[in-house]
Amino acid sequence: MNSLLAEGLMQLFFIYMLYVFGGYAILNLLALFWLRHNNELREYLLHETRLTGQEPGVAIIVPAYNEGTGIVSSVRSLLQQEYGSFEIIVINDGSSDNTLESLIQEFDLYEFPQAYCQRFQTAPIRKVYRSRIEHRLRVVDKENGGSKADAANAGLNIAMQPLVCFMDADEVLDRHALLRTVQFFLDDKAVIACGGTLRPLNGCQVENGNLIRDEIPRNPWALFQTVEYLRSFLCGRIGWGQLNSVLIISGGYGVFRTDLTVEAGGFDKNMLGEDMDLVLRLHQLMLKKKVPYKIHFLPETTCWTEVPESLGVFKNQRARWQRGLMQCLWAYRSFFFSFRAPAIGWLAMPFFLLVECLSPLVELVGIVMLIYLFSTSQIEPTSLLTLGLFALTMSMLLSTTSVMLNSITPGNKTDIRSTMILMGTILLEPLIYHPVHTFCRLIGMLQWLRGSKPNWGTMTRTGNWQNS
Amino acid sequence: MVWAALFFLGLTLWMVIVIFFVKRQLTRSLNREQSLTEIWEPIFFGAVIGEEITELPVLSRNDQLPVLKIWSHICNNIAGEALDGLGLIARRLRLDQVALDILVHQGLRIRNPSSVELLLSIRAAERLLLTPAWDRLAKIVQQGPAPLDRYAARALVAIDPVTSATAVLPALTRQGRWARHLVEDLIEVGVAEATQTYADLLQTVDDEVIPGLALLLERCNDGQTLAAIRGRLTAPETQDPEAISALLNTLSIVGGASERELLQSFTGHRQWLVRMRAAQALGRCGNRHDAAILESLLSDENWYTRYHAARALLAIVELGRSHLNAFPKRTHDQYARDMALHVIAETEAPALR
């Protein structure tokens, strides 16, 4: 390789790094700006708002597949929502464990002759149950549909409230989550969806559905994921929210207008990234309708979810997320450089493609190339060192910003000790967590390219955050 | 490129520093608020129970806003005559002037007020009836931002319910389908005094304003407005299904049984939202003569219409439960039968364990 080519490749790699880190820095800045101007007001309003019972109703849909360990705790936590009008719809998606039995026993369920509204085709419904103890709880028992989307659609089929909230069964919801989220809908009728920030549940203690101790995980792998979640939710999504270009509302927590979700076609069971697919379809629908709309993102921690502590489960999860992302970007390629939605077409979609999707490949190629150039003495050791130092410093500084932004979000309970531990994690993350994460995403890329059959996958729950 | 790299590095570093200072400022203001609460809360509570307070502690300019916040918080949890004592003490502390400074004379004492400072001033304008802030409040209702517009609308209604009617409409429109919450707020500050003014406005506004306005008239529930609601419902320019369904709802609540015929005429509307609302309305004010229409709606193509038709059959006292209980045996339509069974089971929930 001649030196001119080597120089060119170095420049290209450097430009890519500038795009990645510059993009994240600007998203961080947008998030900081928004938090600075809205935090105090939102916290003040939370204490001022009185529930009148006239709030728009929310149907919380909880797809559950083999969630016997934590389903009762999750439903209990949902029932403690400080919100005027909501119902809970748990979908038992053909679980082979005791998910249904534990719900029947705990909430005294009885069979209910539901007039089932088949808005979306799903795997057959076996029975619908209601609770004798909690009139707000319904449980749909269905055959396994092979995807979370199928279960969520079954929930959507019986949801009767104007707003619908999708979440996972292994989560504990903050008791103000719905109130905080619905506030966005009440403020502006143009708001059609709103996502929320998720945090790892590992390390916390939950009793009767109440989060009694909010601590950072002790497991190092879960600790790395805490930093990653903060970076992704607090900076990325709030930043994109300011440009009305949110492309993902995590399946872990999101509130949507029911009518538009139905009109958009619900969830697509062939998509692995069904949460991203729905948001993109909503963008598409509203752009087609030519009606002004907004998709917001909530900075406060709205729910806690158990993250994988073992490498095997982590690998499967991340590979699946990567495939879901690639599938969505490909399916909605018409958005790229579209003038119908400039912020999405020119900023968000290219950023998601180049940074969120292709970064593992670029990193791999870049590192191999740099090693080759260095070993053949085609680049100066100082250039290599400068490049490496820049990448390391920027990634650490950006993670630091996220951890610190977390400390100024309303309702944050992270103490100084935990913040210091998170800072320490940031130092190790690029060396330990990042390479493994990149490797898992590369596997996902390969799986997508080979067209492997998509499946929901299994997530082993420890459930050790529950007090008996 | 090196400069770009240095710029982003510097920017991120700057952000870390800014967040650090924001955090420090937050902690300090929280501590300050806590110490001020210890001083002022007993005084404000004393005013609530009618204690005579001869001497007040000196309130420095820096402490005016935190004290306004404490005062506002106490006002929010108190109603009736007890608020008079709090109003008097606020005037003695010149908190009304602080609110006006923020709302009207921006730049004199507080340049660039934050959203919370604006909100506190709007709340003070509502409680202390600060008429000089009228134009500014109307501007906030007109232009936003949310949620300050909701509170500004409340303040305008509190100051003058009748004159504020036109000014409040943009907030009702912006809330659209979610306006019920705002309407409750406005009822609390006396919007019912202006019911007739709102009924007059109903004839001239665009369809998009109607859902919010109809909710307000529904909540005020004044028979005098019936002609206006009926007139707008039958007017040829009323086309939006959301507007029609909102008016049907209001008509059935305000008008009652006398409006049955008009309500029946909407059960065959091409939009399901209207048919559904008509069924619901008939359940509210219909009688046994509406049973046939409601039974036919039980076979409607839309799930919600079928559901509300079944609920309506149950709601008509003259028909009683037995009518719907017997329906599944009489019908050959599986959808109608399923819905009837669903509603029967829903309203006959087994006794709690």
Side-chain angles (χ1 to χ4, degrees), chain A residues 11 15 41 44-45 48 50 54 108 114-115 117 119 132-133 159 183 185-187 189 257 407, chain B residues 1 23 72 76 116 120 146-147 150 173-175 177-178 180 188 303-304 307 342 346 350 352-353:
Chain A
Q11 295 274 355
I15 289 171
L41 179 68
Y44 180 76
L45 283 175
E48 283 269 301
R50 276 171 297 172
Q54 302 294 340
D108 196 4
Q114 174 82 34
C117 171
R119 288 162 174 159
R132 286 192 180 89
I133 300 169
Q183 203 67 50
F185 291 86
L186 290 177
D187 285 349
K189 67 176 176 183
R257 255 177 61 181
S407 71
Chain B
M1 270 198 297
K23 173 77 184 162
S72 184
N76 198 40
V116 174
L120 287 172
R150 285 212 315 261
T173 314
R174 213 172 296 135
Q175 296 269 301
R177 61 176 62 206
W178 316 123
R180 206 171 272 278
E188 203 179 287
W303 191 94
Y304 289 103
Y307 176 77
H342 173 121
E346 196 174 69
L352 293 181
R353 192 170 54 176

Side-chain angles (χ1 to χ4, degrees), chain A residues 212-237:
Chain A
I212 53 166
R213 212 178 65 200
D214 175 16
E215 282 198 6
I216 53 167
R218 289 183 183 178
N219 177 287
W221 209 247
L223 203 56
F224 284 130
Q225 289 172 77
T226 306
V227 175
E228 190 205 354
Y229 270 56
L230 288 177
R231 204 171 41 222
S232 151
F233 284 99
L234 273 182
C235 300
R237 296 188 193 177

Side-chain angles (χ1 to χ4, degrees), chain A residues 120-172:
Chain A
F120 307 106
Q121 199 71 41
T122 65
I125 304 295
R126 293 174 190 146
K127 278 173 189 169
V128 177
Y129 296 90
R130 286 188 81 140
S131 167
R132 286 192 180 89
I133 300 169
E134 250 313 329
H135 68 280
R136 292 172 296 184
L137 174 65
R138 276 190 287 173
V139 176
V140 178
D141 181 29
K142 67 185 272 289
E143 284 173 22
N144 186 265
S147 69
K148 187 182 160 190
D150 191 75
N153 280 344
L156 209 45
N157 278 342
I158 69 163
M160 288 183 65
Q161 308 294 341
L163 295 173
V164 65
C165 166
F166 296 102
M167 58 179 292
D168 290 336
D170 61 330
E171 291 173 349
V172 173

Side-chain angles (χ1 to χ4, degrees), chain B residues 100-119:
Chain B
L100 281 176
D101 274 353
I102 294 173
L103 284 172
V104 186
H105 322 115
Q106 270 186 64
L108 284 183
R109 285 164 72 176
I110 296 160
R111 295 171 187 202
N112 305 321
S114 72
S115 311
V116 174
E117 287 163 358
L118 268 175
L119 179 66

Side-chain angles (χ1 to χ4, degrees), chain A residues 3 55 113 117 129 148 310 320-321 329 336 350 353 442 458 465 467:
Chain A
S3 62
E55 296 79 19
C117 171
Y129 296 90
K148 187 182 160 190
S310 84
R320 196 173 68 245
W321 287 5
L329 289 174
F336 280 104
L353 175 70
L442 277 169
T458 47
W465 38 270
N467 276 5

